[in-house]
Amino acid sequence: MTHRFNGLAQEDLLGRGMASAGDVNADGYADTLVGSPWADSIITSPNAGYTQTYSGLAGGSQLQSPMTGNAKGFGRALAGAGDVNADGYDDYIVGGEDQFAMNSVYVISGFDGSILFNLGEEIDSDFGVSVDGIGDLDGDGHDDLIVGATGQRIRRYDGTNGFEDFGEVVAGLGDTDGDGQPDFAASTPRNSFASHRAGSVFIYTWDKGMSSDLTSISASSGGTITFDLDFKDGAAFDEYKILTSASGTGPTSLGTDIPLTRDNLVEDTFFGIYPVSNHTGMHGILDIPGDATGSIAVPAGLSPTLIGRTFWFAAITTLPTAYIPRFSSVAIPIEITP
């Protein structure tokens, strides 16, 4: 035994939730994240709960994150999240209830213990019953997370086939199929697909939807960027549009979340108006497997004021003659270099 951590008071239930926190203090050693979901708080309420991170090197307490407001069960489910805000410090995810008694998930900064994000859901949905980090799914430089909600959705992956308690346990798996993308799992431990309450675990892989052959383009010499679209088979014969944003990764919600910040460039490219005239296949129809190719030729001699700027590209699909997007790819950043 290298370390021992004890609760601060009777009925704190220290260790009810426990996970690797990653390296939250950036000292090169993995740290430990522990939850006390029944701990009382004289500032907030009984059973408000708190989480504690302990140094992997020295074993001492580093950050304590108590819940605020009329909350309870903070720390019932937790996991390391990776570096969500890309500040060089690993962050972590905590499940609990917020001050409005809504099941919620909190993303906590590994740097100072502050709440980075509060993701809320409906009362009694069990949103946050299980959480985990899954790596950078969409390639935007920020690690992502998965949240379980029994009977509720995990983004597009849900229990609509009658699977009982789908999402009771979720987990990031790393790259299980060798495609370079992190995969994840969700369980439904009481479903009776095989036999009565035999349970099932479902493994999902991430569909990026689009990739490009370049990550940067020279302002002085220009070049051609080629985009390969690879959507799921269910998108076959959908219309597609490759959109561009000069402002960031949004997201913009239009039936589905599009990882682009809405600006004039997004609106123009939605209607096929691009800032350069030489482009092919930026709008079109997906083939039977849901694939297509588009390209845009950037001329030489761009304005020096564009050097250092990044433009983001993402593809969306719609049903023919419809304008509401059905699917979206990840956002691909293209930087303008000298």
Side-chain angles (χ1 to χ4, degrees):
M1 182 177 71
T2 58
H3 304 297
R4 174 176 171 173
F5 312 124
N6 298 316
L8 301 178
Q10 183 176 338
E11 299 289 342
D12 274 6
L13 295 190
L14 181 79
R16 175 63 180 80
M18 187 166 55
S20 170
D23 185 10
V24 297
N25 60 350
D27 66 353
Y29 293 84
D31 305 311
T32 303
L33 176 63
V34 181
S36 292
W38 279 20
D40 295 337
S41 171
I42 59 174
I43 300 175
T44 56
S45 63
N47 299 339
Y50 67 85
T51 63
Q52 193 89 32
T53 59
Y54 296 93
S55 167
L57 175 61
S61 173
Q62 299 177 121
L63 289 173
Q64 186 180 99
S65 299
M67 182 36 55
T68 59
N70 298 318
K72 64 180 181 180
F74 186 75
R76 65 180 181 181
L78 37 78
D83 188 3
V84 173
N85 59 348
D87 66 351
Y89 294 83
D90 284 335
D91 309 306
Y92 52 96
I93 323 163
V94 182
E97 291 184 359
D98 65 16
Q99 60 266 38
F100 303 107
M102 294 184 67
N103 294 292
S104 194
V105 170
Y106 305 85
V107 182
I108 308 294
S109 167
F111 175 68
D112 60 8
S114 62
I115 296 176
L116 298 176
F117 307 104
N118 177 4
L119 310 175
E121 270 290 329
E122 296 179 1
I123 296 175
D124 297 329
S125 72
D126 279 340
F127 182 75
V129 67
S130 180
V131 295
D132 204 3
I134 49 177
D136 184 7
L137 279 181
D138 52 7
D140 65 355
H142 297 261
D143 285 328
D144 304 310
L145 54 97
I146 184 172
V147 178
T150 57
Q152 303 296 315
R153 65 175 185 160
I154 305 176
R155 203 158 179 86
R156 292 178 183 162
Y157 310 92
D158 58 45
T160 55
N161 294 319
F163 297 143
E164 186 175 358
D165 292 334
F166 180 79
E168 182 165 326
V169 179
V170 295
L173 303 177
D175 182 10
T176 64
D177 54 5
D179 66 352
Q181 296 298 310
D183 306 313
F184 56 93
S187 75
T188 168
R190 282 175 286 280
N191 97 71
S192 301
F193 179 77
S195 60
H196 182 65
R197 293 202 168 189
S200 296
V201 174
F202 302 86
I203 309 299
Y204 294 94
T205 189
W206 180 254
D207 181 8
K208 292 174 61 176
M210 186 173 73
S211 60
S212 70
D213 63 340
L214 298 177
T215 58
S216 63
I217 199 83
S218 168
S220 60
S221 58
T224 299
I225 308 167
T226 300
F227 299 97
D228 289 319
L229 281 65
D230 183 12
F231 283 94
K232 57 188 69 177
D233 293 350
F237 301 120
D238 274 13
E239 294 185 0
Y240 72 85
K241 308 173 191 290
I242 300 177
L243 309 182
T244 311
S245 174
S247 306
T249 56
T252 296
S253 184
L254 292 173
T256 189
D257 285 342
I258 303 169
L260 297 175
T261 302
R262 187 169 181 172
D263 57 15
N264 290 337
L265 193 53
V266 168
E267 295 177 0
D268 285 346
T269 53
F270 183 89
F271 292 104
I273 304 170
Y274 289 86
V276 298
S277 59
N278 192 358
H279 55 81
T280 59
M282 298 297 279
H283 282 211
I285 305 292
L286 297 175
D287 63 14
I288 292 178
D291 300 340
T293 299
S295 64
I296 186 166
V298 179
L302 292 180
S303 169
T305 60
L306 294 175
I307 294 174
R309 292 194 59 185
T310 297
F311 293 84
W312 290 266
F313 294 79
I316 61 170
T317 80
T318 66
L319 291 173
T321 72
Y323 285 102
I324 303 300
R326 291 211 303 152
F327 303 112
S328 174
S329 75
V330 300
I332 295 177
I334 304 292
E335 182 183 3
I336 308 299
T337 63

